[in-house]
Amino acid sequence: MAKNNENITMKGNALKVEGRCIEEGAVLPSFKLTGTDMGDVTNATFAGKVLVLISIPSIDTPVCATETKRFNKEATSLSQDVAVVAVSRDLPFAFKRWCVAEGVSRIVTLSDYKYRLFGKEFGVELPDLGILARAVFVADRSGNVVHVEYVTEVAQEPDYEAVLEAVKSCL
Protein backbone atom coordinates (compact mmCIF):
# COMPACT_ATOMS: atom_id res chain seq x y z
CA MET A 1 0.00 0.00 0.00
CA ALA A 2 1.61 3.25 -1.14
CA LYS A 3 0.99 6.52 0.64
CA ASN A 4 2.41 8.54 -2.26
CA ASN A 5 2.00 8.71 -6.00
CA GLU A 6 5.61 7.95 -6.88
CA ASN A 7 6.60 4.88 -8.86
CA ILE A 8 3.16 4.07 -10.28
CA THR A 9 3.33 1.48 -13.04
CA MET A 10 1.07 -0.20 -15.57
CA LYS A 11 2.04 -3.81 -16.25
CA GLY A 12 5.47 -3.00 -14.84
CA ASN A 13 6.09 0.09 -16.99
CA ALA A 14 6.66 3.37 -15.15
CA LEU A 15 4.01 6.04 -15.67
CA LYS A 16 4.28 9.80 -15.48
CA VAL A 17 1.97 11.00 -12.69
CA GLU A 18 1.04 14.63 -12.16
CA GLY A 19 -0.57 16.40 -9.25
CA ARG A 20 -0.05 16.85 -5.58
CA CYS A 21 0.15 13.85 -3.33
CA ILE A 22 -2.67 13.76 -0.77
CA GLU A 23 -1.56 12.97 2.76
CA GLU A 24 -3.45 11.56 5.70
CA GLY A 25 -4.44 14.35 8.08
CA ALA A 26 -4.92 16.87 5.26
CA VAL A 27 -8.25 18.41 4.34
CA LEU A 28 -9.77 16.67 1.32
CA PRO A 29 -9.22 18.87 -1.75
CA SER A 30 -12.25 20.47 -3.37
CA PHE A 31 -13.57 18.75 -6.45
CA LYS A 32 -16.12 19.42 -9.17
CA LEU A 33 -17.19 16.38 -11.15
CA THR A 34 -20.07 15.38 -13.44
CA GLY A 35 -22.81 12.96 -12.39
CA THR A 36 -24.70 10.53 -14.59
CA ASP A 37 -27.44 13.16 -14.93
CA MET A 38 -24.80 15.54 -16.38
CA GLY A 39 -25.10 17.79 -13.31
CA ASP A 40 -22.16 19.11 -11.30
CA VAL A 41 -21.25 17.34 -8.06
CA THR A 42 -18.90 18.82 -5.46
CA ASN A 43 -17.65 18.03 -1.98
CA ALA A 44 -20.70 19.84 -0.60
CA THR A 45 -22.90 17.08 -2.01
CA PHE A 46 -21.41 14.71 0.57
CA ALA A 47 -21.18 17.12 3.54
CA GLY A 48 -21.46 15.35 6.88
CA LYS A 49 -20.79 11.91 5.42
CA VAL A 50 -17.77 9.67 5.56
CA LEU A 51 -16.52 9.78 1.97
CA VAL A 52 -14.72 7.01 0.13
CA LEU A 53 -13.32 8.23 -3.20
CA ILE A 54 -12.02 5.56 -5.53
CA SER A 55 -10.09 6.77 -8.53
CA ILE A 56 -10.10 4.32 -11.43
CA PRO A 57 -8.69 4.39 -14.96
CA SER A 58 -11.86 3.17 -16.75
CA ILE A 59 -14.99 1.30 -15.69
CA ASP A 60 -14.76 -0.77 -18.88
CA THR A 61 -11.59 -2.58 -17.80
CA PRO A 62 -11.61 -5.83 -15.81
CA VAL A 63 -9.77 -4.58 -12.70
CA CYS A 64 -11.85 -1.39 -12.45
CA ALA A 65 -15.07 -3.37 -12.90
CA THR A 66 -14.03 -5.85 -10.21
CA GLU A 67 -13.00 -3.08 -7.81
CA THR A 68 -16.20 -1.10 -8.32
CA LYS A 69 -18.39 -4.18 -7.85
CA ARG A 70 -16.49 -5.08 -4.69
CA PHE A 71 -16.91 -1.60 -3.23
CA ASN A 72 -20.60 -1.67 -4.19
CA LYS A 73 -20.99 -4.97 -2.32
CA GLU A 74 -19.15 -3.63 0.74
CA ALA A 75 -21.16 -0.40 0.66
CA THR A 76 -24.44 -2.29 1.02
CA SER A 77 -23.43 -3.25 4.57
CA LEU A 78 -22.22 0.23 5.51
CA SER A 79 -24.24 2.99 7.12
CA GLN A 80 -26.08 5.48 4.93
CA ASP A 81 -23.67 7.97 6.53
CA VAL A 82 -21.00 6.61 4.17
CA ALA A 83 -20.83 7.71 0.54
CA VAL A 84 -18.75 5.60 -1.84
CA VAL A 85 -17.82 7.42 -5.03
CA ALA A 86 -16.03 6.07 -8.10
CA VAL A 87 -14.26 8.67 -10.25
CA SER A 88 -12.78 8.28 -13.73
CA ARG A 89 -12.64 10.07 -17.06
CA ASP A 90 -15.33 7.76 -18.44
CA LEU A 91 -18.32 9.62 -19.80
CA PRO A 92 -21.33 9.77 -17.46
CA PHE A 93 -23.31 7.79 -20.05
CA ALA A 94 -20.81 4.92 -19.85
CA PHE A 95 -21.01 4.88 -16.06
CA LYS A 96 -24.80 4.84 -16.16
CA ARG A 97 -24.89 2.03 -18.73
CA TRP A 98 -22.37 -0.03 -16.78
CA CYS A 99 -24.09 0.40 -13.40
CA VAL A 100 -27.45 -0.68 -14.84
CA ALA A 101 -25.93 -3.68 -16.63
CA GLU A 102 -24.01 -4.79 -13.51
CA GLY A 103 -26.70 -4.02 -10.92
CA VAL A 104 -24.46 -1.53 -9.12
CA SER A 105 -26.61 0.89 -7.15
CA ARG A 106 -24.86 1.78 -3.88
CA ILE A 107 -21.91 3.61 -5.44
CA VAL A 108 -22.08 7.11 -6.89
CA THR A 109 -20.20 7.31 -10.19
CA LEU A 110 -18.72 10.64 -11.21
CA SER A 111 -16.75 11.73 -14.24
CA ASP A 112 -13.76 14.05 -14.51
CA TYR A 113 -14.16 14.28 -18.31
CA LYS A 114 -15.46 17.86 -18.34
CA TYR A 115 -13.35 19.82 -15.87
CA ARG A 116 -10.27 17.57 -15.73
CA LEU A 117 -9.19 18.95 -12.35
CA PHE A 118 -9.59 15.91 -10.11
CA GLY A 119 -6.48 14.15 -11.42
CA LYS A 120 -4.07 16.92 -10.52
CA GLU A 121 -5.83 17.86 -7.26
CA PHE A 122 -5.62 14.26 -6.04
CA GLY A 123 -2.28 13.27 -7.58
CA VAL A 124 -3.74 10.68 -9.95
CA GLU A 125 -3.30 12.41 -13.33
CA LEU A 126 -1.70 10.15 -15.95
CA PRO A 127 -1.11 12.78 -18.66
CA ASP A 128 0.41 10.44 -21.24
CA LEU A 129 -2.69 8.22 -21.15
CA GLY A 130 -5.36 10.86 -20.44
CA ILE A 131 -6.80 8.78 -17.59
CA LEU A 132 -6.61 8.62 -13.81
CA ALA A 133 -4.42 6.31 -11.74
CA ARG A 134 -5.95 3.85 -9.29
CA ALA A 135 -6.17 5.23 -5.76
CA VAL A 136 -8.48 5.33 -2.74
CA PHE A 137 -9.07 8.23 -0.38
CA VAL A 138 -11.21 8.13 2.78
CA ALA A 139 -12.32 11.34 4.49
CA ASP A 140 -14.17 11.63 7.79
CA ARG A 141 -17.40 13.60 8.26
CA SER A 142 -15.40 16.82 8.65
CA GLY A 143 -13.56 16.32 5.35
CA ASN A 144 -10.24 15.30 6.90
CA VAL A 145 -8.34 12.59 5.03
CA VAL A 146 -7.92 9.50 7.23
CA HIS A 147 -6.71 7.01 4.60
CA VAL A 148 -4.77 7.25 1.35
CA GLU A 149 -3.70 4.47 -0.97
CA TYR A 150 -2.03 5.08 -4.32
CA VAL A 151 -2.04 1.63 -5.92
CA THR A 152 1.48 1.29 -7.28
CA GLU A 153 0.50 -1.12 -10.07
CA VAL A 154 -2.53 0.24 -11.93
CA ALA A 155 -3.53 -3.30 -12.96
CA GLN A 156 -3.94 -4.37 -9.30
CA GLU A 157 -6.78 -3.85 -6.83
CA PRO A 158 -6.49 -1.73 -3.68
CA ASP A 159 -6.32 -3.02 -0.10
CA TYR A 160 -10.06 -3.32 0.60
CA GLU A 161 -9.63 -4.27 4.24
CA ALA A 162 -7.53 -1.17 5.00
CA VAL A 163 -10.19 1.03 3.36
CA LEU A 164 -13.00 -0.60 5.36
CA GLU A 165 -11.04 -0.25 8.60
CA ALA A 166 -10.57 3.46 7.88
CA VAL A 167 -14.28 3.88 7.19
CA LYS A 168 -15.28 2.06 10.38
CA SER A 169 -12.90 4.24 12.42
CA CYS A 170 -14.90 7.27 11.26
CA LEU A 171 -18.32 5.97 12.31
Side-chain angles (χ1 to χ4, degrees):
M1 175 171 48
K3 297 288 184 186
N4 63 53
N5 61 358
E6 298 173 9
N7 304 315
I8 292 179
T9 63
M10 181 179 283
K11 297 182 181 177
N13 298 311
L15 295 172
K16 178 180 178 183
V17 182
E18 291 182 349
R20 65 184 183 138
C21 187
I22 304 301
E23 296 180 6
E24 291 176 4
V27 173
L28 191 72
S30 295
F31 59 81
K32 185 176 183 181
L33 299 160
T34 305
T36 57
D37 64 355
M38 298 302 290
D40 289 343
V41 178
T42 67
N43 302 54
T45 306
F46 306 102
K49 292 188 180 258
V50 174
L51 181 59
V52 179
L53 281 172
I54 62 172
S55 172
I56 59 174
S58 175
I59 197 64
D60 287 315
T61 62
V63 177
C64 295
T66 298
E67 176 183 356
T68 305
K69 286 184 223 178
R70 169 75 185 268
F71 275 117
N72 183 70
K73 179 182 175 192
E74 298 292 349
T76 61
S77 64
L78 296 173
S79 161
Q80 292 296 317
D81 293 335
V82 178
V84 182
V85 177
V87 179
S88 80
R89 292 260 169 85
D90 291 306
L91 291 175
F93 313 112
F95 264 141
K96 190 172 187 176
R97 170 197 42 82
W98 186 88
C99 286
V100 169
E102 298 296 333
V104 170
S105 60
R106 183 63 170 81
I107 288 185
V108 177
T109 54
L110 300 175
S111 178
D112 188 39
Y113 89 98
K114 187 189 304 184
Y115 301 109
R116 295 185 176 263
L117 300 171
F118 183 88
K120 287 186 181 176
E121 286 297 315
F122 284 79
V124 293
E125 180 75 24
L126 300 177
D128 295 338
L129 299 174
I131 59 176
L132 305 177
R134 188 175 316 283
V136 183
F137 309 93
V138 178
D140 65 16
R141 296 173 198 261
S142 299
N144 297 309
V145 178
V146 298
H147 176 80
V148 173
E149 178 184 3
Y150 290 96
V151 181
T152 53
E153 171 53 51
V154 174
Q156 293 180 345
E157 296 172 59
D159 182 346
Y160 298 107
E161 296 308 316
V163 174
L164 294 171
E165 286 178 32
V167 168
K168 290 174 184 171
S169 75
C170 295
L171 296 173

